[in-house]
Amino acid sequence: MAALKKSGAYRQLLESMYSMIALLFILVACIELCNAAAAVDVYRLIQYDMSGSPFGSRFAALNHHAASLHFPPGADLSRTVLIIPLRELNITFVREYINQKKPLGGLLFLLPQVFSFENGGNKQIHEKEKLKNVLAELEQLLIHANIPYPVYFAFENDEIDTVLSDIKKNDAIGQPATATTGGYKLVIPTPEPKKVASPTITNIQGWLSGLKGDVDANQLPTIAVVASYDTFGAAPALSLGSDSNGSGIVALLEVARLFSLLYSNPRTRGRYNLLFGLTSGGPYNYNGTQKWLRSFDQRLRESIDYAICLNSIGSWDNELWIHVSKPPENAYIKQIFEGFSNVAEELDLKVGLKHKKINISNPRRHIYGHQGKNVQIFADDSSLAVNPSYVQSWLDLLSRTPRVAPFISKNDPFVMALKKELADHTDEVTVQNEILEGIFTFYDSTHTRLNIYQVASVTFDLLLLLVLGSYLIVLFSFLVITTRGLDDLISLFRRPPSRKVKTA
């Protein structure tokens, strides 16, 4: 009976100990989890191969301590992520580290909020214009280099600014973050990137038939209006391109809307067919446009008088450029240039001319025969005025929608929205899905979440272990004394008698 009581007491003691230890582990785990200083969205530098040669960031996972540009001279950065705000960027330093392949754990570039999906007022726009050249130079450096560590972009916010401020203070006093000293740790537990298998590109085509009269519509001349809708940039998940080429897309859709009104009435329908093309693969040697043109039959190709390609026409300098294939001295080119210049003058715009090899040879160019100034068809007070709300709504959508070709599926909501919009204003809308062919291979993992942890030093860990160990010993002693008495506690630490003594 006494043995059973003794066994039960021990069982209760052990159960109490297990409960207390489990509670301690839970508390410690909670403390560790609550140590996350910040969690932010990050956007990885593009990773691609060109003719088998690797470019961009070759890794995605991250688990290193953080440092600023104020790190001590001679510091080992092989397991360190440098946090670099764009405003403080030293492009020479970054170029030196990349070109000389110096060891580095990773790079995290902080972009001002003016580059985020929602821009602010005129002050922010002015700041954005000043930093745009800096960012463009950085992009060119990164996308043409083979970088053997993770490179990410993130937007500045209060949390990450506070973290960076602490990191700068520690670096300034010569105490960079290490396993010994503690500091901040950046963690991205993401799998390594995989190749994007069979990336697709989608072309969308709309058609407005001209006035037939005594001839078949298929025999009428055709004017093609074309714009490429995809983008390219250092970070695919941030490549918005509201000007290049969001402005071209908006202009094409608005032209389609206005001419659909004109062509809906036989009395105002022109004797030209209008062909609208929204093409993909523009940054890759116009891969999608080439496939779209190859899909034309001979009759359609021969009927095209000329093509208007709209690209990056939303610049702030109020200057447009016409790219032509013949020298500016050519009489036909002069006629085109004068026509555009006269209309642009009334709109306080400038038009420049650039000689570039494209196919323009047919002298016909006017749908309604209007020439020179005072063209009032699309006047602001007319029923065919440009709709600012329509234009702005599409610009807002494009400024929030990344659209790098290899990462847009054929059923992407943005592609479907373009198709629906073009179908609302044109006839015979068709969609062409093709495989992006060529010398490029792309990799996924373009957007993920970064966790920033504030980690303690080894000294702190040892002190914490000592305190917890002492607490457990005191707790154990207290439980033994209260349940079994002081003698049993002493007996637990007393050396047991040897086997010879027991035998005697």
Side-chain angles (χ1 to χ4, degrees):
M1 195 70 178
L4 289 175
K5 289 183 178 180
K6 186 175 182 180
S7 175
Y10 270 119
R11 189 179 298 109
Q12 291 179 357
L13 178 62
L14 290 174
E15 290 176 354
S16 300
M17 286 296 298
Y18 291 151
S19 299
M20 295 304 297
I21 293 173
L23 179 60
L24 281 173
F25 276 122
I26 292 173
L27 291 174
V28 172
C30 289
I31 293 172
E32 185 66 27
L33 288 174
C34 293
N35 258 349
V40 297
D41 290 318
V42 290
Y43 310 88
R44 194 169 73 97
L45 173 66
I46 192 169
Q47 178 182 351
Y48 67 100
D49 300 336
M50 186 169 64
S51 298
S53 299
F55 291 93
S57 176
R58 309 309 295 182
F59 293 93
L62 201 61
N63 190 359
H64 296 311
H65 287 86
S68 68
L69 287 175
H70 304 286
F71 62 86
D76 180 13
L77 302 179
S78 60
R79 296 187 60 81
T80 300
V81 180
L82 286 181
I83 303 179
I84 305 176
L86 186 65
R87 293 188 179 94
E88 302 174 13
L89 177 66
N90 183 339
I91 193 67
T92 303
F93 166 82
V94 177
R95 182 179 289 108
E96 176 184 334
Y97 252 81
I98 292 176
N99 292 343
Q100 298 182 11
K101 300 187 183 303
K102 293 186 177 181
L104 194 61
L107 285 170
L108 174 61
F109 294 101
L110 300 183
L111 304 176
Q113 282 292 333
V114 291
F115 288 101
S116 66
F117 301 117
E118 296 182 0
N119 294 328
N122 293 330
K123 181 178 179 181
Q124 289 183 313
I125 292 174
H126 179 67
E127 181 185 12
K128 183 176 181 179
E129 289 299 313
K130 290 199 305 181
L131 292 173
K132 189 182 292 184
N133 292 335
V134 178
L135 182 58
E137 187 177 5
L138 176 63
E139 279 192 308
Q140 290 300 312
L141 171 63
L142 296 177
I143 64 178
H144 292 104
N146 176 11
I147 305 177
Y149 43 78
V151 179
Y152 284 94
F153 296 87
F155 291 108
E156 296 174 344
N157 59 34
D158 293 339
E159 290 180 324
I160 203 166
D161 287 347
T162 301
V163 169
L164 182 58
S165 178
D166 288 344
I167 293 172
K168 287 180 177 179
K169 291 178 183 178
N170 293 334
D171 290 346
I173 62 176
Q175 190 177 356
T178 63
T180 305
T181 61
Y184 289 91
K185 200 166 193 178
L186 308 186
V187 179
I188 300 178
T190 186
E192 288 309 311
K194 298 179 181 178
K195 291 182 180 181
V196 178
S198 302
T200 60
I201 52 177
T202 302
N203 299 319
I204 309 170
Q205 171 183 308
W207 184 269
L208 284 176
S209 298
L211 184 64
K212 301 176 183 179
D214 297 333
V215 298
D216 184 11
N218 292 331
Q219 298 177 355
L220 292 176
T222 300
I223 295 176
V225 184
V226 188
S228 179
Y229 64 81
D230 54 358
T231 59
F232 184 83
L238 292 178
S239 298
L240 307 175
S242 54
D243 181 29
S244 177
N245 184 33
S247 58
I249 300 170
V250 173
L252 184 146
L253 293 175
E254 179 67 346
V255 168
R257 185 186 71 83
L258 293 173
F259 274 89
S260 69
L261 297 176
L262 285 167
Y263 273 50
S264 64
N265 187 342
R267 301 174 65 179
T268 56
R269 185 183 302 172
R271 291 185 175 273
Y272 276 82
N273 296 322
L274 295 182
L275 175 64
F276 297 93
L278 291 167
T279 62
S280 181
Y284 317 112
N285 198 26
Y286 295 95
N287 194 284
T289 306
Q290 292 182 37
K291 294 180 182 296
W292 181 57
L293 294 174
R294 290 172 187 166
S295 69
F296 293 172
D297 57 33
Q298 184 177 357
R299 179 202 56 78
L300 178 56
R301 281 198 297 268
E302 292 177 351
S303 73
I304 295 178
D305 266 11
Y306 65 92
I308 302 175
C309 300
L310 304 172
N311 187 30
S312 303
I313 59 175
S315 302
W316 285 94
D317 54 8
N318 289 334
E319 187 170 8
L320 300 175
W321 291 93
I322 303 175
H323 295 254
V324 295
S325 63
K326 294 184 178 181
E329 296 80 14
N330 182 277
Y332 173 51
I333 299 302
K334 284 184 177 180
Q335 183 185 13
I336 292 178
F337 180 67
E338 289 175 1
F340 275 98
S341 297
N342 290 335
V343 176
E345 186 178 342
E346 294 186 351
L347 302 175
D348 294 326
L349 296 174
K350 294 180 180 179
V351 176
L353 200 64
K354 289 187 178 181
H355 182 200
K356 189 175 182 179
K357 285 293 181 181
I358 56 177
N359 185 20
I360 295 181
S361 57
N362 197 304
R364 295 177 297 182
R365 67 183 182 89
H366 296 296
I367 298 179
Y368 296 105
H370 293 282
Q371 298 186 26
K373 299 181 181 180
N374 301 317
V375 178
Q376 301 297 321
I377 296 177
F378 303 109
D380 290 341
D381 57 350
S382 72
S383 60
L384 294 172
V386 173
N387 187 335
S389 299
Y390 178 84
V391 171
Q392 189 60 52
S393 65
W394 271 99
L395 282 176
D396 290 343
L397 174 63
L398 291 163
S399 64
R400 299 192 306 268
T401 308
R403 48 191 189 280
V404 176
F407 308 104
I408 303 179
S409 68
K410 60 183 179 182
N411 296 319
D412 187 272
F414 175 73
V415 175
M416 293 295 101
L418 286 179
K419 177 187 174 183
K420 179 182 181 302
E421 193 64 29
L422 200 58
D424 288 344
H425 307 307
T426 62
D427 305 320
E428 303 177 29
V429 173
T430 58
V431 176
Q432 178 190 26
N433 296 310
E434 298 283 350
I435 300 296
L436 177 60
E437 299 172 347
I439 60 177
F440 293 96
T441 302
F442 296 90
Y443 295 78
D444 59 11
S445 297
T446 61
H447 175 213
T448 187
R449 191 81 170 164
L450 167 69
N451 294 308
I452 305 176
Y453 294 96
Q454 187 170 11
V455 294
S457 64
V458 172
T459 304
F460 176 81
D461 291 340
L462 293 174
L463 180 61
L464 180 62
L465 182 62
L466 179 62
V467 170
L468 289 176
S470 301
Y471 175 76
L472 289 174
I473 292 173
V474 172
L475 179 63
F476 177 77
S477 301
F478 173 77
L479 291 174
V480 172
I481 293 173
T482 55
T483 57
R484 296 184 49 78
L486 181 60
D487 292 339
D488 282 357
L489 176 64
I490 296 173
S491 66
L492 290 174
F493 297 98
R494 184 182 299 159
R495 182 178 179 182
S498 65
R499 189 172 299 174
K500 292 182 179 180
V501 174
K502 287 183 178 179
T503 304

